[in-house]
Amino acid sequence: MVTLETPRLILRRWREEDVAPMAAVNADPEVMRWIRDGSVLDEQQTRRRVQAWESEWESEGFGLFAVEIRSTGELAGFTGLSVPNFLPEVLPAVEVGWRLGRAHWGQGLATEAAAAAVRFGFQERGLERIVSIAQVGNNASERIMTKLGMHPARETVNPSCDRRVRVFELASDQYAKAAR
């Protein structure tokens, strides 16, 4: 069981009691605005997603972490690594992604969590390249990608929702150079 700790966060595997607070995050239209077609998810859909995220841990050796606030134990959302099967043209690839509830926006938590996930991917899982994908217009996510040291690689259309996306990437040698 992989657990990562940052100054303010614990990144850990999912528990049953995480489903309801993650469903609340997924039910917020403002949170979901830039996710696929912008549709919100209910608790049953969230439960299926959490199960899929846990399955990816078993099959790939990485996955999406539940992000817990150290000081309160509150679930803030997720961050971590996944295979972006929804965008076949970038495969093979591993994507770093995040989704936090609005109460946790604007505090640098997504950047802190994603940086730990990127470090895990390169240092613990030996990945050669990590991508991140954001819909065009999602400037907040693009700022996080830039803070992670990523650079734009291409612009394309997500075939699952027909929205334009930008793909950012970071190679392991670029990461190692910046980490020194």
Side-chain angles (χ1 to χ4, degrees):
M1 292 288 263
V2 176
T3 300
L4 306 179
E5 296 192 18
T6 72
R8 299 180 290 170
L9 305 170
I10 298 171
L11 282 59
R12 59 168 173 75
R13 299 281 295 270
W14 293 87
R15 302 176 187 146
E16 175 60 31
E17 61 266 23
D18 296 327
V19 173
M22 191 67 222
V25 171
N26 288 338
D28 184 335
E30 190 60 26
V31 171
M32 299 302 286
R33 176 181 177 197
W34 300 109
I35 310 299
R36 292 181 198 84
D37 67 358
S39 297
V40 298
L41 304 175
D42 64 21
E43 190 163 329
Q44 185 176 28
Q45 291 167 313
T46 298
R47 180 178 306 284
R48 284 195 300 269
R49 297 279 167 88
V50 168
Q51 290 167 346
W53 300 336
E54 276 297 297
S55 293
E56 192 165 31
W57 273 104
E58 303 308 320
S59 65
E60 301 291 343
F62 55 76
L64 297 177
F65 292 98
V67 175
E68 180 181 310
I69 305 295
R70 285 173 73 108
S71 62
T72 65
E74 178 185 2
L75 182 82
F78 73 70
T79 192
L81 304 171
S82 63
V83 176
N85 290 315
F86 67 92
L87 195 60
E89 70 185 76
V90 301
L91 297 176
V94 175
E95 177 188 17
V96 62
W98 50 86
R99 183 179 312 153
L100 300 182
R102 263 196 286 175
H104 304 289
W105 291 3
Q107 303 168 47
L109 296 174
T111 302
E112 184 176 322
V118 167
R119 184 170 46 254
F120 170 75
F122 286 133
Q123 294 180 356
E124 303 297 323
R125 293 300 183 252
L127 299 176
E128 293 293 318
R129 174 179 77 116
I130 296 176
V131 302
S132 195
I133 302 162
Q135 289 185 12
V136 172
N138 186 348
N139 298 327
S141 283
E142 288 192 14
R143 279 192 300 277
I144 294 168
M145 295 171 191
T146 301
K147 289 177 185 175
L148 295 174
M150 303 184 117
H151 61 274
R154 72 171 73 182
E155 192 169 307
T156 188
V157 173
N158 178 343
S160 72
C161 63
D162 208 31
R163 290 188 175 182
R164 295 206 62 73
V165 294
R166 285 198 185 102
V167 180
F168 282 61
E169 67 181 15
L170 180 62
S172 59
D173 60 335
Q174 295 166 321
Y175 176 80
K177 214 179 297 181
R180 282 186 240 172

